[in-house]
Amino acid sequence: MSSTAWTSFRLVPDDVLFFRDGKPSTRGSDHYLRSLFPPYPSTLYGAVRTRRLLDGDVDLSGLDAESWGHRLNGLTAELGPWGGFGALRQRGPWLLHGEEPLLPVPADLGVIPAKTKEDEPPHIETVVRYRPAPGALPGGGSHPEGLHLLLPTDAAGERWQPPAPGVEPRLAAGWLLTLPGLAVWRSGGLPAPDQLVHSSTLWQDETRTGLGLQAGRRAGEDGQLYTFGFIRLLDGVSLGFEVAESKLKPTGRLRLGGEGRSVILAPGPAFPPFSNESPPLPGGHEGLLTLTFATPALSAAGAWPPGFSAEHREGRLGDIPLRLVGAAVPGFVLVGGWDLARRQPKPLRRALPAGTVFLFEPLDGIGAAAAATALDGTCISDFSGTDGLAQQGFGLAATGVSG
């Protein structure tokens, strides 16, 4: 666990929210823009930086590279140079339901939905956990890169058997994991169905339609009907995050996302830490380090963990030497945005989505629990340059131990 002193916050919106992923849209061709949610760490990081400028009574009008240094009023160390990064660090964002943090369901969990009525929220009938199956499988089959295949297992750790032909687990897309469920997952167990929460009980899509106008006139333009899909959080739901090396106070407001919507800034619960209090694994085995990302992570090697690749399955995360033995990667997301300092789009990059899981064997005599403790709560991304990806909160790791 990181030894950095983090201060926890929550964001409570007054109205709907809207967040883009940086993909370009074409006037007249793209008629529907859906908000992603939760927002990417870079969006929140930029909002926090702007709030800190306002806290320091910095005049934002005409602010540029030339005026940046002498307008910061003592914020240079925290915010850094124009277009760069200072000491300010962030973790998050994540969902909060009341005082409980909710994290994306790790991709090594699969679900079988229960049958529900049309007006009922989704329910889960069965949860399975995908675990390593070392070596070749009966009838053939192996991972092309030498990693262990992950196969579905039940609560007893036995190979899961479908109850009927054609019944297969699916990715838990749209579900979030409660704190009790996260504790079970961290200890290598299988969360119960009621320890997963569906997003439809936390927020709703709210569409708003508009009409493009002709330049210089209040007349509609042909072919310019467009719709935005906003996000409205339900009662008791908010966004949580943490910062370090900052004098940000949990009072007032900040502007977040598209249209600069106002949100209330208040104290919030901390990111849930890994606790090495689970019972020892049978046979005295140390087990494997399991790591899931609570926020998207950017890796120079694509679908491999930051610092690893097909040619380098042994490497380091932080100071911990590891061997990659398994992975559950549910596709990719696109991360981009707008660079205000350079007045140009940021590179649009494929990122590992939140919920991605990697399984590692710790090396050099380090136990899995010790590795989990050291890496939990750290942010991991490895694109080179001055992007400050980990500093903004990309690749927030939640760790555990699995047999």
Side-chain angles (χ1 to χ4, degrees):
M1 183 72 177
S2 170
S3 60
T4 303
W6 296 93
T7 303
S8 305
F9 299 87
R10 76 168 71 239
L11 297 172
V12 183
D14 296 311
D15 200 353
V16 294
L17 298 170
F18 185 81
F19 305 102
R20 290 291 310 280
D21 58 7
K23 289 187 293 186
S25 59
T26 304
R27 176 180 169 87
S29 298
D30 297 312
H31 299 283
Y32 184 75
L33 294 177
R34 182 187 298 274
S35 175
L36 63 85
F37 193 76
Y40 290 150
S42 51
T43 300
L44 178 55
Y45 191 86
V48 170
R49 282 171 58 97
T50 301
R51 163 63 190 267
R52 292 296 294 132
L53 290 171
L54 296 175
D55 288 345
D57 296 323
V58 176
D59 182 7
L60 302 184
S61 60
L63 190 62
D64 56 18
E66 184 176 348
S67 60
W68 176 264
H70 58 78
R71 283 202 201 177
L72 284 196
N73 300 335
L75 291 170
T76 304
E78 182 177 337
L79 301 184
W82 175 259
F85 295 87
L88 172 64
R89 297 168 60 190
Q90 176 185 284
R91 298 199 300 196
W94 50 80
L95 264 292
L96 294 174
H97 190 201
E99 295 298 312
E100 181 181 27
L102 302 174
L103 298 187
V105 173
D108 62 348
L109 297 179
V111 299
I112 297 177
K115 293 182 179 179
T116 57
K117 297 180 180 179
E118 186 175 348
D119 57 347
E120 290 182 340
H123 294 284
I124 294 174
E125 179 179 306
T126 304
V127 182
V128 301
R129 183 158 188 175
Y130 292 88
R131 301 183 188 275
L137 300 177
S142 62
H143 194 284
E145 300 295 346
L147 302 180
H148 296 330
L149 292 174
L150 305 184
L151 299 179
T153 61
D154 57 22
E158 300 296 328
R159 186 75 55 83
W160 177 82
Q161 301 296 330
V167 177
E168 294 291 341
R170 63 180 66 174
L171 287 172
W175 294 87
L176 294 103
L177 197 58
T178 63
L179 281 186
L182 179 63
V184 173
W185 180 86
R186 288 183 188 272
S187 65
L190 180 64
D194 62 0
Q195 293 174 331
L196 280 70
V197 179
H198 195 260
S199 60
S200 62
T201 66
L202 303 170
W203 74 84
Q204 294 178 346
D205 292 332
E206 185 171 307
T207 58
R208 297 185 179 183
T209 301
L211 179 64
L213 301 178
Q214 298 179 24
R217 300 181 58 192
R218 300 292 295 175
E221 188 171 350
D222 291 342
Q224 298 301 317
L225 190 68
Y226 59 90
T227 300
F228 285 93
F230 290 86
I231 299 295
R232 182 176 294 279
L233 300 189
L234 301 183
D235 289 344
V237 180
S238 56
L239 283 170
F241 72 102
E242 295 178 334
V243 298
E245 305 295 336
S246 173
K247 294 183 180 180
L248 181 68
K249 302 298 182 184
T251 59
R253 297 171 178 270
L254 56 78
R255 295 192 175 275
L256 182 66
E259 302 182 357
R261 300 278 175 161
S262 174
V263 295
I264 299 169
L265 184 64
F271 181 77
F274 172 76
S275 176
N276 186 19
E277 297 178 355
S278 56
L281 296 171
H285 297 296
E286 279 285 350
L288 299 174
L289 164 69
T290 55
L291 183 150
T292 186
F293 289 120
T295 59
L298 287 102
S299 172
W304 296 86
F308 292 74
S309 67
E311 295 76 26
H312 299 93
R313 293 200 296 274
E314 290 188 9
R316 288 179 175 269
L317 293 179
D319 295 327
I320 307 299
L322 303 166
R323 177 185 296 115
L324 180 67
V325 298
V329 182
F332 66 91
V333 294
L334 294 173
V335 174
W338 182 259
D339 191 325
L340 286 173
R342 297 172 178 83
R343 299 180 182 178
Q344 64 184 26
K346 295 179 181 178
L348 192 61
R349 294 166 169 164
R350 290 187 177 188
L352 298 164
T356 295
V357 171
F358 292 109
L359 290 84
F360 298 95
E361 177 187 347
L363 304 177
D364 296 350
I366 298 175
T373 301
L375 292 173
D376 187 63
T378 61
C379 294
I380 305 167
S381 287
D382 73 345
F383 268 100
S384 61
T386 58
D387 293 315
L389 296 168
Q391 191 170 347
Q392 296 175 72
F394 283 102
L396 174 58
T399 60
V401 176
S402 177

